[in-house]
Amino acid sequence: MHLFYRVDRLRWAQLAAGESNQAAARLEALCAANPGASHPRLLTYANVSGKADLVFMLQVAELGQIAQLHRDLEACFRAGNAGRRCSVTSASLNCRIHAH
């Protein structure tokens, strides 16, 4: 699964002292817990185009696991500070695109 997020920079700048550091620490811990060469694996990318600021690629062996990893990823950010732009999920030869 590929997830594209745009950071609301105004809301991010208005976070209480230390809250952005806590979000970064939660994200670092999640990435450290899923560093595998394959399943599970969480890859992070910074994007310089206008489509998104952050991109994550999630790889798991079972589809049920991807939902939990996705929830864990979104729990790293306070509601409203990072909004998902779209996600792409590949399952065997089928590819679905969900626009948000």
Side-chain angles (χ1 to χ4, degrees):
M1 173 183 278
H2 300 81
L3 299 167
F4 301 86
Y5 289 85
R6 179 176 300 271
V7 176
D8 184 334
R9 287 176 168 58
L10 180 61
R11 291 181 98 172
W12 190 259
Q14 295 173 343
L15 290 175
E19 198 167 344
S20 61
N21 290 338
Q22 291 173 359
R26 288 190 298 268
L27 183 57
E28 287 175 12
L30 184 62
C31 291
N34 296 282
S38 67
H39 314 290
R41 184 176 189 185
L42 173 60
L43 297 169
T44 60
Y45 301 92
N47 195 16
V48 294
S49 73
K51 183 175 184 177
D53 298 312
L54 302 171
V55 180
F56 299 94
M57 187 165 69
L58 290 63
Q59 297 176 339
V60 297
E62 300 289 329
L63 288 177
Q65 294 172 311
I66 206 158
Q68 182 61 54
L69 188 54
H70 185 195
R71 284 190 300 271
D72 293 345
L73 176 63
E74 291 203 338
C76 291
F77 301 99
R78 184 175 169 204
N81 290 328
R84 185 166 38 132
R85 300 290 292 174
C86 62
S87 65
V88 179
T89 306
S90 298
S92 63
L93 299 176
N94 298 320
C95 185
R96 299 176 305 195
I97 299 177
H98 307 282
H100 296 274

